[in-house]
Amino acid sequence: MKRMKSYEIRQMWLDFWKSKGHDIIPSASLVPVNDPSLLWINAGVAPLKKYFDGREIPANRRMANSQKSIRTNDIENVGRTARHHTFFEMLGNFSIGDYFRKEALTWAMEILTSPKWFGFDLNRLYFTVHPSDDESKKLWQELGVAENHIVELESNFWEIGEGPCGPNTEIFYDRGPKYDPDNLGIQLLEQDLDNDRYIEIWNIVFSQYNAEAGKKRSEYRELPSKNIDTGMGLERMCCVLQETETNYETDLFLPIIEETERLTQVKYLGQMAFKVIADHVRSVVFAVADGAIISNEGRGYVLRRILRRAVRFGRKLGMNEAFMYKLVPVVAEIMKEHYPYLLDKVEDIQKIIRFEEEKFLQTLEAGEKRLVDYINNVDEKIVSGPTAFLLYDTFGFPYELTVEVASEHGFKVDEEGFLTELEKQKEKSRASRSDEQSMVTQNEAMLAFTEESNFIGYDVLEAETEVIALFSEGVRVKEASGEVLAVFKETPFYAEAGGQIGDRGFLKLAGKQYKITDTTKLPNFQHASLVQLGKEKIRENEQVKLIVDPDFRKHVIKNHSATHLLNEALRRVIGKHVSQQGSYVGNEFLRFDFNHYSLLTNEEILAVEALVNEKINENLKVEIKEMPFSEAKKLDVQAVFGEKYGDIVRVVDMDFSKELCGGCHVKETGEIKRFAILGVESKGSGIYRIEAATDARIKPELARTLAGIEQEISDLRSKIQSLLEEAKAEGLDVGYEEIEISPVTESYQTVINRRKEVQLLQESAKELDKRIQKAKKERNVIALEDYLQNNLTIKDYNVLISKTYGLESDVVKDLADRLADKLNPGVVFLANLMENRIVFICKNKIDKLNAGKLVKEAAVITGGNGGGRSDFAQAGGKDPSKIDLALQAIKERIENEL
């Protein structure tokens, strides 16, 4: 066995396969191209799927590569084990319908054991095969493998759903008893046990069967074109050939670890932190170099998660400043032999990584300290959902890191509770929110502003008052123009809280009126309004008049009071376990999130809607009182999940419903006029959402909700009309009964009706199409006997070659199928003449013939092209004048091949 450097191993692999007639293809980008099914290229074969599934034919059916790959499904194991990685290189050789098992195994033995190549001692190699794969077992033995070095494992079969599949053989290197403390020997392989003695270095897949649902593997058909797909992990080969304890001591990782030692002044003794950093920096460097962007979604989020995990482990080594970017040149230097482009991108990659590191470090320390403090001060070994969310939202501490830190202390995290809090946050993120609003809780100037501002908007909608603070672009100023966040000594404007959106209205100053587009709450609870001043200026201490838009507030309070009625109606209809999990109360509609065991039925939805309307019609008085929290609890009031309350609370009592609430409400439920549910959906983790509207907003909101359904109904009606016109033009009597559309009512019943109508129209369109196709077939089908008269017998086989005229393709295919059933074993070749073209269809049940080749030949003769499977194929021609010539050629071809 040769001791080799990583770049020598990679190059030897590529050189060997080049000597066997393979094209050496460059590694594809880690960011998949035209493959939405993948976030990352995650295997050597991934960028070659277009060849394996036949979408494209490669210039050379033999290919080899060293493919960059990223996998993060088991990221928690990276650093804990000897061989888990997020980034790795997969050495592969591939045959697309060219060589198969014999050549693959013969060449595998050559590259592994020949002194010219890797030079492994065959006695140190072990081979696993599938129990049904006698051929591979026999071939390995013929190539010199001892029978006791071959292990049969049921798991040696590669299959992922329907499509190509097959047995595989894996090759292991025996590192000896030193790595087998229990002296189990070959049992480690036979029982498929995790171990450090037998290291898998290569997997060879024989893609030879077509997996079919409902069939046993023994019933799978052989593929007409068999493929070879292999994968050899470069990192594992380095570990074996360089004789290191783990992959991390190889020359792919050790220089990174040594540089980390220098930066941290900590000696590497196998610590997990060094391994995580070395692995993760490789992933980030290569991904960024390939154009991936660090962000909060998709692959960008995966990348951010990898980088932040490495940064946190750096802190375990005392690194409290950005350092990962300093490792980029080391990675580029290690990999320069095969990836020289990294050297040109070092500076840009460093800038991106450094920026991300520094941004994360600003929040990481505070987040982790708070988490550990929490862990040290609770008895139950679980981190609550709200706590995990606070760390995530306020301190930018990733949820995955919360899970990891908790796990290190023997704690678990309430994932469902975290997701519920996350959903609440999304509710509050409205498109119109300004930069000032989204940053307000992190703004030092706003945090420092403590002057009191009184909210008086429960009782009045107008007030003359004084400006006490102005903020422009997050900075406190004495005067401002444009978009300004203003705080007043008293204000009737309600600030967004408890699900109720902030008030809108007007500010009057010096005889002019300006719009207030939103109102938010500052860190010290003052209500601040967003004023649109244009070019005019406003100054601190100026006197202004504030006017809440009365129409806006009127609709908001109707929706807010309706939300309370909805909450209680849900508890009455589906159970007392229901509790509010989030809400949005706007002027146009309301949303209400709640916990439940399953999606509500239509009957339950209608019952809830009816109960709310019943309480609206009863015109219940809405009483609002302030009282000690301890007293409010005795009244069996409902409180919002996760909300913190002071000693004195505000109780909104509608008799039917009692809730703690700081929002604005109607004085009597009759003011709401009417309530309608617009839709119900699942948000996951046992949380469901109702969207609803009240009074004058029901019709427009219902129209918005139904817009998609109404369009679908319109499209289906158009489709049905087209089918009816087609039937009429063809002179077909198919019959059709018109489906009546129910009128729109201000109720969820309209939504139910419309969905049922969509279903009925879909079924009607489908049935109508079936009737038309059936009528066409019945009209066009000619007695089989008319065709069977043309049957020829050639060498005991039935051969039918015939023309048809102007038939639908489905009719011709059906005819070919029926004739082939009659003439088994035989071949049916039909030429269907259309106006200016020909369609050739062949159904073949003779092993010696290939339908795809037959139709292709006929198509080429008539100026066209095409092909297909050996048993069935279709092709097109353009020159009807040459049809007889083509059919004669097909007859001669069949005679010659039989």
Side-chain angles (χ1 to χ4, degrees):
M1 182 177 75
K2 297 179 179 178
R3 186 175 180 87
M4 304 173 70
K5 295 178 180 178
S6 57
Y7 68 85
E8 293 173 328
I9 297 170
R10 186 194 297 112
Q11 193 58 50
M12 180 172 283
W13 172 267
L14 299 175
D15 289 344
F16 175 84
W17 292 110
K18 186 175 182 179
S19 75
K20 302 301 181 186
H22 290 61
D23 275 359
I24 306 305
I25 55 177
S27 174
S29 168
L30 284 165
V31 179
V33 178
N34 297 325
D35 190 350
S37 67
L38 292 175
L39 273 181
W40 304 102
I41 292 298
N42 58 11
V45 73
L48 307 179
K49 288 196 296 184
K50 59 186 178 182
Y51 301 133
F52 276 81
D53 64 19
R55 280 178 289 154
E56 289 186 32
I57 302 298
N60 185 344
R61 291 180 179 271
R62 298 181 181 186
M63 293 174 284
N65 66 1
S66 178
Q67 176 60 49
K68 300 170 291 185
S69 305
I70 284 181
R71 291 181 193 169
T72 59
N73 55 309
D74 53 2
I75 190 172
E76 288 76 19
N77 287 324
V78 174
R80 298 183 190 275
T81 71
R83 284 169 290 281
H84 272 95
H85 301 295
T86 56
F87 174 85
F88 57 95
E89 285 185 79
M90 190 60 75
L91 307 176
N93 63 289
F94 310 93
S95 168
I96 312 298
D98 190 0
Y99 63 84
F100 198 54
R101 186 180 272 101
K102 184 176 181 180
E103 297 90 337
L105 299 193
T106 301
W107 289 335
M109 184 61 71
E110 181 182 355
I111 190 174
L112 287 174
T113 62
S114 169
K116 181 180 177 181
W117 304 105
F118 292 131
F120 279 104
D121 178 356
L122 181 56
N123 293 321
R124 301 288 292 273
L125 298 178
Y126 285 76
F127 305 78
T128 61
V129 298
H130 191 263
S132 68
D133 191 5
D134 294 330
E135 191 176 353
S136 291
K137 184 175 181 180
K138 182 181 177 182
L139 276 169
W140 281 132
Q141 289 177 310
E142 290 175 357
L143 290 166
V145 180
E147 187 172 0
N148 64 357
H149 278 229
I150 300 175
V151 178
E152 295 183 0
L153 291 178
E154 195 64 43
S155 59
N156 275 57
F157 197 97
W158 184 85
E159 180 178 1
I160 48 171
E162 295 190 339
C165 66
N168 61 290
T169 182
E170 296 172 323
I171 303 168
F172 293 78
Y173 178 78
D174 179 10
R175 298 206 294 173
K178 174 184 175 182
Y179 297 94
D180 185 5
D182 298 324
N183 200 29
L184 295 175
I186 195 64
Q187 293 179 58
L188 294 169
L189 284 180
E190 292 170 339
Q191 297 176 29
D192 202 14
L193 302 174
D194 286 337
N195 69 93
D196 291 321
R197 175 171 179 171
Y198 300 95
I199 304 300
E200 179 193 341
I201 56 173
W202 200 358
N203 183 21
I204 301 172
V205 179
F206 309 108
S207 184
Q208 67 186 98
Y209 299 109
N210 185 50
E212 297 178 69
K215 287 189 176 182
K216 298 177 182 177
R217 281 181 179 166
S218 59
E219 298 173 337
Y220 290 171
R221 292 175 299 166
E222 290 253 350
L223 290 170
S225 177
K226 299 178 178 64
N227 305 317
I228 291 291
D229 163 22
T230 86
M232 173 184 283
L234 176 62
E235 293 77 10
R236 292 182 178 220
M237 279 292 282
C238 288
C239 177
V240 170
L241 291 174
Q242 294 174 18
E243 297 181 286
T244 60
E245 288 281 324
T246 75
N247 293 1
Y248 292 96
E249 288 78 39
T250 67
D251 64 353
L252 288 170
F253 296 90
L254 196 57
I256 304 172
I257 289 173
E258 289 172 341
E259 179 63 12
T260 306
E261 281 183 312
R262 190 187 70 79
L263 292 171
T264 62
Q265 295 298 298
V266 176
K267 183 69 177 172
Y268 172 62
L269 300 171
Q271 301 96 312
M272 180 178 177
F274 283 95
K275 296 174 182 177
V276 169
I277 292 165
D279 172 271
H280 288 10
V281 73
R282 282 165 34 104
S283 287
V284 178
V285 168
F286 273 94
V288 171
D290 281 359
I293 298 171
I294 301 174
S295 67
N296 273 334
E297 57 186 25
R299 66 176 59 91
Y301 173 71
V302 174
L303 209 52
R304 174 164 284 165
R305 178 186 176 193
I306 291 172
L307 179 59
R308 289 187 168 189
R309 185 169 185 260
V311 171
R312 189 173 76 83
F313 274 92
R315 285 168 52 79
K316 290 179 179 291
L317 299 176
M319 292 304 296
N320 295 313
E321 61 184 27
F323 74 98
M324 289 280 286
Y325 75 96
K326 296 178 182 178
L327 301 174
V328 175
V330 184
V331 176
E333 182 66 24
I334 294 169
M335 310 300 282
K336 68 180 181 182
E337 297 292 335
H338 198 63
Y339 305 103
Y341 66 87
L342 288 178
L343 293 172
D344 297 328
K345 297 186 175 185
V346 165
E347 189 173 337
D348 289 339
I349 297 170
Q350 282 186 300
K351 287 179 182 177
I352 292 169
I353 292 178
R354 183 174 185 176
F355 176 80
E356 182 67 16
E357 279 189 272
E358 290 177 343
K359 184 169 66 172
F360 182 48
L361 284 167
Q362 291 171 5
T363 60
L364 185 58
E365 182 176 2
E368 187 162 1
K369 182 178 183 300
R370 282 178 175 264
L371 178 55
V372 174
D373 287 345
Y374 174 91
I375 287 171
N376 291 335
N377 288 283
V378 293
D379 296 322
E380 189 178 1
K381 287 186 171 292
I382 186 164
V383 178
S384 71
T387 299
F389 180 78
L390 178 70
L391 292 166
Y392 167 84
D393 186 50
T394 305
F395 300 98
F397 197 77
Y399 174 76
E400 293 79 11
L401 296 189
T402 297
V403 172
E404 285 193 27
V405 174
S407 177
E408 290 168 6
H409 289 79
F411 276 59
K412 292 184 177 180
V413 181
D414 174 15
E415 182 178 9
E416 184 173 334
F418 169 81
L419 293 174
T420 298
E421 295 297 316
L422 184 63
E423 190 57 37
K424 286 183 185 179
Q425 180 213 46
K426 290 178 180 178
E427 290 293 341
K428 296 179 180 179
S429 298
R430 299 186 294 114
S432 62
R433 180 174 290 180
S434 67
D435 289 341
E436 287 83 5
Q437 291 169 297
S438 60
M439 297 173 61
V440 66
T441 57
Q442 300 174 12
N443 185 286
E444 289 185 16
M446 294 176 184
L447 283 166
F449 175 61
T450 58
E451 188 173 341
E452 187 176 351
S453 170
N454 296 319
F455 172 64
I456 57 175
Y458 289 135
D459 304 310
V460 297
L461 296 183
E462 297 184 11
E464 292 189 358
T465 186
E466 177 187 341
V467 178
I468 59 173
L470 297 169
F471 297 89
S472 178
E473 297 183 354
V475 178
R476 187 171 180 182
V477 293
K478 293 294 183 182
E479 63 177 32
S481 59
E483 189 174 73
V484 182
L485 199 60
V487 186
F488 311 99
K489 192 169 186 179
E490 302 90 20
T491 178
F493 280 77
Y494 181 85
E496 180 178 339
Q500 180 179 326
I501 65 174
D503 274 335
R504 302 170 194 169
F506 307 95
L507 176 148
K508 286 188 174 182
L509 171 64
K512 294 184 179 180
Q513 182 169 284
Y514 307 94
K515 282 186 178 181
I516 290 178
T517 54
D518 205 351
T519 304
T520 189
K521 196 173 286 187
L522 298 188
N524 292 302
F525 308 108
Q526 304 96 333
H527 293 212
S529 292
L530 197 64
V531 188
Q532 306 298 329
L533 289 163
K535 295 181 180 180
E536 303 295 332
K537 288 188 176 182
I538 190 172
R539 298 172 178 80
E540 279 192 7
N541 304 319
E542 281 192 311
Q543 294 293 310
V544 296
K545 184 173 183 177
L546 302 178
I547 306 167
V548 176
D549 183 336
D551 191 55
F552 175 88
R553 174 71 81 84
K554 178 179 71 175
H555 289 300
V556 168
I557 63 175
K558 288 180 180 181
N559 285 339
H560 201 158
S561 296
T563 302
H564 283 219
L565 294 176
L566 171 60
N567 188 2
E568 185 58 29
L570 283 166
R571 289 168 52 79
R572 302 280 180 101
V573 173
I574 64 173
K576 293 293 184 182
H577 62 280
V578 169
S579 63
Q580 180 176 335
Q581 303 294 318
S583 68
Y584 168 86
V585 177
N587 61 314
E588 296 179 334
F589 63 91
L590 65 95
R591 285 197 295 257
F592 184 81
D593 294 351
F594 61 98
N595 59 299
H596 191 42
Y597 312 121
S598 61
L599 192 64
L600 271 61
T601 64
N602 286 337
E603 292 73 17
E604 288 171 331
I605 296 170
L606 292 173
V608 168
E609 184 183 72
L611 184 53
V612 173
N613 280 309
E614 179 185 317
K615 297 306 168 183
I616 290 172
N617 293 334
E618 288 179 9
N619 199 26
L620 302 173
K621 188 174 182 180
V622 179
E623 294 185 351
I624 299 176
K625 303 174 184 175
E626 290 190 350
M627 61 183 71
F629 183 53
S630 57
E631 184 179 331
K633 287 195 294 185
K634 297 175 184 177
L635 300 176
D636 193 28
V637 298
Q638 296 299 306
V640 177
F641 173 76
E643 194 77 42
K644 296 187 182 301
Y645 297 98
D647 294 335
I648 303 298
V649 294
R650 190 167 179 264
V651 177
V652 177
D653 185 352
M654 301 181 186
D655 188 38
F656 173 72
S657 160
K658 296 181 179 68
E659 288 192 33
L660 300 184
C661 180
C664 305
H665 290 272
V666 298
K667 297 187 181 301
E668 295 174 326
T669 60
E671 294 174 31
I672 301 171
K673 300 280 181 69
R674 182 155 184 82
F675 169 87
I677 292 177
L678 306 173
V680 184
E681 63 177 329
S682 169
K683 302 307 293 180
S685 302
I687 306 300
Y688 297 88
R689 171 174 293 168
I690 286 178
E691 188 168 307
T694 60
D695 195 16
R697 292 304 309 170
I698 293 177
K699 282 189 177 180
E701 291 303 312
L702 196 56
R704 176 182 61 83
T705 301
L706 293 174
I709 299 177
E710 297 287 7
Q711 183 60 53
E712 193 170 359
I713 287 174
S714 177
D715 291 345
L716 285 167
R717 284 188 167 280
S718 296
K719 181 178 180 180
I720 289 170
Q721 186 59 38
S722 296
L723 288 169
L724 289 172
E725 289 173 1
E726 178 187 350
K728 183 178 180 181
E730 295 277 352
L732 303 175
D733 182 14
V734 291
Y736 175 69
E737 187 175 335
E738 186 74 25
I739 293 173
E740 292 186 11
I741 302 298
S742 60
V744 174
T745 61
E746 294 185 1
S747 166
Y748 187 71
Q749 186 63 56
T750 295
V751 179
I752 296 171
N753 292 344
R754 285 294 187 269
R755 287 176 178 161
K756 285 182 179 178
E757 285 151 10
V758 167
Q759 185 179 352
L760 289 171
L761 287 168
Q762 287 172 337
E763 293 171 354
S764 181
K766 187 176 180 181
E767 178 60 27
L768 184 57
D769 188 48
K770 281 173 62 177
R771 289 181 190 176
I772 291 172
Q773 298 310 318
K774 182 180 179 183
K776 283 182 179 180
K777 285 184 179 181
E778 289 173 350
R779 182 188 65 184
N780 290 325
V781 167
I782 303 170
L784 293 184
E785 286 69 22
D786 292 346
Y787 290 92
L788 292 172
Q789 292 174 8
N790 298 322
N791 182 53
L792 302 174
T793 301
I794 301 176
K795 297 181 182 178
D796 297 325
Y797 291 102
N798 292 305
V799 177
L800 195 158
I801 302 173
S802 186
K803 302 175 189 175
T804 60
Y805 298 90
L807 298 181
E808 295 283 344
S809 291
D810 287 345
V811 174
V812 183
K813 290 177 184 177
D814 179 64
L815 178 59
D817 282 337
R818 294 166 65 212
L819 288 169
D821 289 341
K822 290 279 188 181
L823 300 175
N824 192 17
V827 61
V828 176
F829 191 98
L830 300 177
N832 186 39
L833 276 78
M834 309 298 280
E835 193 170 327
N836 292 308
R837 61 190 178 91
I838 316 160
V839 176
F840 297 105
I841 291 178
C842 181
K843 181 73 175 183
N844 173 43
K845 294 188 176 183
I846 302 174
D847 292 340
K848 295 179 180 180
L849 300 178
N850 186 299
K853 292 180 179 178
L854 292 175
V855 297
K856 184 178 180 68
E857 181 173 340
V860 170
I861 290 171
T862 55
N865 211 332
R869 306 192 309 263
S870 62
D871 61 331
F872 177 82
Q874 176 176 323
K878 299 177 181 177
D879 188 354
S881 68
K882 294 182 180 179
I883 187 169
D884 292 330
L885 181 65
L887 295 182
Q888 182 60 34
I890 296 304
K891 181 183 176 184
E892 292 173 2
R893 173 74 174 267
I894 292 172
E895 288 174 340
N896 291 335
E897 294 195 1
L898 292 179

